[in-house]
Amino acid sequence: PAELQACIDRGCPWDQPIPARMLRTMGERPSPTIPMNIAAQYQRHDNLALLANKALKEGRPELLEAPDLVGKTPAHIAVQKGNPLCLGVMAKAGANLHRAIPHVWQYNTNRQENILTDPDKYAMPIHHALVRTVVSFTTRTCLCCVKNQNEAKIQVCAQCKMAYFCGAECQKEKWSEHKNVCKKIRKGCRSCYVS
């Protein structure tokens, strides 16, 4: 982050699209991807926190939702990459996590159709836990039994402040999965100093 801060201090455009060299040489327009998306793509939560804080300090919260070339926000990229630290940064900065709910596309055997599936909890435990946590947060439902606030008293996880549980039993049942992301989300939140 020190190098990025030095670059910003020198006047580098931290809020402008990064021109794609290949596209410029071919005469095409530059990429709309801003540095915040790049920080999420390369899983640099420290740089992402610096850029998110700068965007909010400058009164540019719309940059938290800036899409990359294929329309993914930095929060969506963080979940797709399985990075709870970057997700924590974006959550603390106030990003719209409804747009972060990822869709994992898997091809069937003949590769003619795309099938929407959840990440496999055994093959991709971090991704699975992040998806479930974001869904729990955005829908305000229990991470375990999916009860909502009309069906049970829902309480937020004391550490990450994102996952909801309806009781100690549900929290204990899902802790083995949720612990993969809980403390890292909290650490990401702490790296973003926005209140």
Side-chain angles (χ1 to χ4, degrees):
E3 293 173 12
L4 178 61
Q5 184 63 56
C7 183
I8 291 171
D9 292 342
R10 286 193 311 267
C12 294
W14 61 274
D15 59 344
Q16 300 297 315
I18 296 173
R21 290 187 184 134
M22 291 283 279
L23 294 177
R24 282 197 322 218
T25 59
M26 294 181 207
E28 296 180 26
R29 62 189 184 131
S31 160
T33 302
I34 63 169
M36 198 174 301
N37 299 86
I38 301 295
Q41 182 71 28
Y42 288 98
Q43 303 184 44
R44 294 294 308 266
H45 79 280
D46 48 356
N47 288 343
L48 187 60
L50 183 89
L51 292 165
N53 287 325
K54 177 85 171 154
L56 294 172
K57 184 179 175 185
E58 299 285 327
R60 305 277 312 277
E62 71 277 4
L63 294 176
L64 300 174
E65 306 299 326
D68 66 1
L69 285 170
V70 293
K72 296 177 184 172
T73 65
H76 182 110
I77 294 168
V79 176
Q80 183 185 37
K81 290 284 187 177
N83 192 317
L85 292 165
C86 287
L87 180 67
V89 168
M90 296 310 295
K92 179 72 180 269
N96 180 359
L97 296 188
H98 286 85
R99 295 185 64 199
I101 298 175
H103 296 81
V104 177
W105 293 95
Q106 295 181 347
Y107 292 101
N108 66 7
T109 54
N110 65 9
R111 296 202 180 261
Q112 296 296 320
E113 297 178 17
N114 287 328
I115 302 169
L116 183 61
T117 62
D118 280 333
D120 182 83
K121 70 178 181 179
Y122 301 109
M124 303 170 76
I126 302 289
H127 292 77
H128 178 78
L130 269 181
V131 168
R132 292 287 166 224
T133 300
V134 171
V135 169
S136 173
F137 179 78
T138 57
T139 60
R140 302 290 195 267
T141 56
C142 177
L143 188 70
C144 182
C145 66
V146 197
K147 288 181 181 174
N148 64 29
Q149 53 198 1
N150 296 330
E151 300 169 320
K153 184 180 179 190
I154 306 293
Q155 295 179 324
V156 70
C157 175
Q159 290 189 44
C160 70
K161 309 275 191 255
M162 287 188 69
Y164 285 86
F165 297 98
C166 65
E169 302 83 30
C170 283
Q171 189 172 11
K172 285 178 187 174
E173 186 175 330
K174 284 296 181 181
W175 178 244
S176 63
E177 292 174 22
H178 183 61
K179 72 179 179 183
N180 291 324
V181 298
C182 185
K183 291 179 183 176
K184 291 178 183 176
I185 290 171
R186 183 178 66 181
K187 182 179 177 184
C189 286
R190 287 181 176 167
S191 67
C192 190
Y193 54 80
V194 174
S195 58

